[in-house]
Amino acid sequence: MLDKIRKFLKCFIFVELGSLFGKALADYIHYRRYPEFYEMMSAPWYTDILLSAVLTAAVVFLTFLAYIILGCVSKKQKKAKEKTEAES
């Protein structure tokens, strides 16, 4: 069961990174196509990308932390199972 959760977390990390890349690419294309839209803003055009990158980094970090913790728990469970089987 823990291996399935770890597999899901791994996929989730790549989905998050892919969505960040897609959003950044879409924002860049929009900036190149409509530069006048961004000229009237006080912040640079990439500010939204930076905010998304920080939030994505936080989510990926927490997900990766859960992935590592579940890996340690899974190893401990496997060792305990092997130990009880060896004693039997």
Side-chain angles (χ1 to χ4, degrees):
M1 181 66 179
L2 291 178
D3 291 335
K4 289 183 180 181
I5 296 173
R6 287 187 78 211
K7 187 183 254 187
F8 170 77
L9 291 175
K10 187 190 248 184
C11 290
F12 184 76
I13 288 171
F14 285 110
V15 166
E16 282 292 315
L17 293 174
S19 66
L20 173 65
F21 179 74
K23 182 181 179 353
L25 184 63
D27 284 350
Y28 178 72
I29 290 171
H30 193 264
Y31 165 71
R32 297 292 289 176
R33 194 171 286 170
Y34 306 107
E36 315 81 41
F37 177 75
Y38 294 94
E39 286 176 1
M40 65 179 110
M41 293 183 170
S42 61
W45 66 271
Y46 52 84
T47 305
D48 193 33
I49 296 172
L50 292 176
L51 178 63
S52 296
V54 169
L55 293 175
T56 301
V59 170
V60 167
F61 175 74
L62 292 174
T63 307
F64 186 70
L65 193 62
Y67 180 81
I68 296 297
I69 290 171
L70 286 176
C72 292
V73 170
S74 177
K75 284 181 184 178
K76 285 182 182 179
Q77 284 182 352
K78 285 179 183 178
K79 284 183 181 180
K81 185 177 179 183
E82 289 174 2
K83 186 176 179 181
T84 57
E85 288 176 357
E87 291 175 354
S88 303

